[in-house]
């Protein structure tokens, strides 16, 4: 087994897919040990430093490569197995950027409201405990999060000699930001990689099979607190166990608006439960939230936004109503 090393120096990273000569050449079955940078190219070194001032937009998401696979030709399927992904620094960086993201106006979808405040979060990385420390910027909220490293940007040269900025995902791959590009997983296609994440961000899931339980016909209700979901969102509390989440749903057209409704409500709910402001809550949901599609069918689409309850550090939604209802249901079914 042949092992190749690729460790680009500053100035050697690529910001595009296509139009570049290979940095190394490998045979199918070889292993490549690749050093990658974060999406800011290591230029943001303090939580008080604004990425918009430190990094030009066209220099976001530097990638390592290209890596030539000998014998590969256009139209071939290229499968890459990520053996392991390990953070290279003792900290990780995340931020809210002006005119960027799903819950604000962007350069392509301009709106009259002002951009969100630019804010930076630094996470201390502990490789021994395999955790990252989340610290809210505007409150004392602290939380240890499990590491789950991934490559946010993976792809090959686009067809037809095109050169594409790394920020835009398409048929060639690119800035897909999927947690499935992590260790022990495969990526198709993959020729350049970068944009490493210590924590997974949005994790889209496809609907799975459910289980139908026989039950006695009985329903118990409670009235929740005032100030519930807004703009069409609905809230769900999953039972303790493997599916221990708080969840918000959004149902509308187009699909991205259903996504926005569910995410916005989950962020607001998280803010209410933890005492954090909206942007700190946005950051926590961005790192630990899930976004499965519930229903893609006429007349409206439904998206779900969910957050593990353990991240709330014991905060009880609706005064613990879910626990009381669950206990009442167990007493009822045991009769």
């Amino acid at each position: 087994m042949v092992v190749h090393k690729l460790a680009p120096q500053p100035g050697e990273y690529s910001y595009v897919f296509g139009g570049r000569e290979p940095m190394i050449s490998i045979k199918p079955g070889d292993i490549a040990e690749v050093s990658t940078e974060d999406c800011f190219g290591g230029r943001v070194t303090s939580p008080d430093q604004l990425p918009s001032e430190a990094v030009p937009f066209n220099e976001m998401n530097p990638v390592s490569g290209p890596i030539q696979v000998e014998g590969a030709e256009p139209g071939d399927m290229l499968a890459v197995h990520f053996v392991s992904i390990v953070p290279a620094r003792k900290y990780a960086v995340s931020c809210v950027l002006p005119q960027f993201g799903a819950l604000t106006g962007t350069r392509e979808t301009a709106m009259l409201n002002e951009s969100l405040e630019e804010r930076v979060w630094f996470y201390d990385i502990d490789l021994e405990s395999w955790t990252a420390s989340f610290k809210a910027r505007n409150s004392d909220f602290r939380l240890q999060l499990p590491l789950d490293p991934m490559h946010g940007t993976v792809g090959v040269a686009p067809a037809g000699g095109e050169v594409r900025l790394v920020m835009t995902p398409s048929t060639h791959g690119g800035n897909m930001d999927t947690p499935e590009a992590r260790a022990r997983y495969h990526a198709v296609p993959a020729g350049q990689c970068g944009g490493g994440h210590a924590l997974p961000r949005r994790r889209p899931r496809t609907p799975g099979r459910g289980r139908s339980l026989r039950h006695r016909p009985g329903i118990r209700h409670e009235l929740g607190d005032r100030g519930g979901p807004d703009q069409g969102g609905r809230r769900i509390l999953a039972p303790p166990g493997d599916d221990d989440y708080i969840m918000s749903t959004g149902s509308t057209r187009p699909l991205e608006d259903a996504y926005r409704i569910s995410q916005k409500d989950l962020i607001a709910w998280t803010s209410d439960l933890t005492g954090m402001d909206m942007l700190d809550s946005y950051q926590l949901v961005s790192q630990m939230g899930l976004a499965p599609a519930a229903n893609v069918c006429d007349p409206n689409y439904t998206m779900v936004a969910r957050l593990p309850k353990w991240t709330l550090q014991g905060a009880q939604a609706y005064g613990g109503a879910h626990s009381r209802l669950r206990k009442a249901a167990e007493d009822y079914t045991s009769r």
Side-chain angles (χ1 to χ4, degrees):
M1 182 182 297
V2 179
V3 178
H4 306 261
K5 295 183 182 293
L6 175 58
Q9 299 302 305
E12 294 182 336
Y13 289 97
S14 178
Y15 301 96
V16 295
F17 283 96
R20 285 174 58 94
E21 292 298 316
M23 295 190 74
I24 61 172
S25 181
I26 68 175
K27 290 180 168 44
D30 288 355
I31 289 179
E33 293 182 0
V34 184
S35 297
T36 63
E37 259 295 356
D38 64 24
C39 64
F40 307 118
R43 300 186 208 182
V44 178
T45 58
S46 162
D48 297 320
Q49 189 178 7
L50 296 182
S52 64
E53 297 176 357
V55 189
F57 187 78
N58 64 334
E59 294 182 14
M60 292 279 190
N61 272 25
V63 290
S64 301
I67 299 171
Q68 180 184 27
V69 179
E70 296 179 16
E73 297 181 357
D76 288 349
M77 178 178 290
L78 179 63
V80 174
H81 179 76
F82 296 112
V83 179
S84 67
I85 304 173
V86 179
R89 292 194 180 100
K90 293 184 178 180
Y91 66 86
V93 188
S94 188
C95 74
V96 171
L97 280 173
Q99 295 184 312
F100 189 83
L103 301 183
T104 184
T106 69
R107 291 171 175 83
E108 286 76 27
T109 54
M111 298 182 183
L112 288 175
N113 57 290
E114 294 184 6
S115 295
L116 296 176
E117 167 200 339
E118 188 169 5
R119 188 181 296 182
V120 178
W121 291 264
F122 261 53
Y123 293 76
D124 294 326
I125 302 294
D126 187 334
L127 294 182
E128 290 190 7
S129 62
W130 206 241
T131 59
S133 300
F134 169 66
K135 303 173 186 176
R137 292 297 305 270
N138 279 352
S139 74
D140 293 329
F141 191 90
R142 302 285 188 273
L143 191 65
Q144 292 295 111
L145 305 177
L147 289 180
D148 194 2
M150 61 180 248
H151 283 302
T153 307
V154 183
V156 297
E162 273 194 279
V163 176
R164 303 289 295 274
L165 195 66
V166 295
M167 290 296 287
T168 305
S170 187
T171 54
H172 65 282
N175 184 32
M176 299 178 291
D177 268 357
T178 170
E180 309 333 317
R182 62 184 188 263
R184 300 177 303 280
Y185 279 56
H186 304 283
V188 181
Q192 291 172 264
C193 62
H197 293 276
L199 300 161
R201 301 206 293 187
R202 303 267 184 246
R203 292 199 262 188
R205 301 285 189 191
T206 54
R209 291 184 179 272
R211 290 184 298 175
S212 177
L213 300 178
R214 293 186 178 275
H215 62 280
R216 302 181 66 171
I219 301 175
R220 181 182 173 96
H221 298 83
E222 279 196 22
L223 291 176
D225 298 338
R226 294 183 182 275
D230 60 2
Q231 295 189 9
R234 296 293 179 267
R235 292 178 177 176
I236 304 169
L237 285 164
D242 292 339
D243 296 317
D244 201 4
Y245 298 95
I246 63 169
M247 291 175 273
S248 292
T249 68
S251 298
T252 190
R253 280 178 174 268
L255 186 64
E256 57 265 32
D257 280 354
Y259 170 85
R260 291 183 180 118
I261 290 169
S262 63
Q263 291 291 322
K264 178 182 179 294
D265 185 65
L266 182 63
I267 290 165
W269 197 5
T270 301
S271 177
D272 290 342
L273 291 172
T274 63
M276 290 192 289
D277 69 10
M278 290 290 277
L279 285 188
D280 280 332
S281 298
Y282 185 12
Q283 175 65 196
L284 179 59
V285 171
S286 293
Q287 299 297 346
M288 296 304 298
L290 301 170
N295 187 33
V296 181
C297 181
D298 290 337
N300 281 339
Y301 303 130
T302 296
M303 290 294 296
V304 177
R306 60 184 188 176
L307 184 71
K309 289 180 187 174
W310 67 264
T311 64
L312 303 174
Q313 296 188 326
Q316 293 289 313
Y318 301 118
H322 183 260
S323 297
R324 294 192 297 274
L325 288 168
R326 182 176 176 81
K327 177 64 166 58
E330 290 172 350
D331 291 344
Y332 177 80
T333 55
S334 64
R335 290 187 309 170

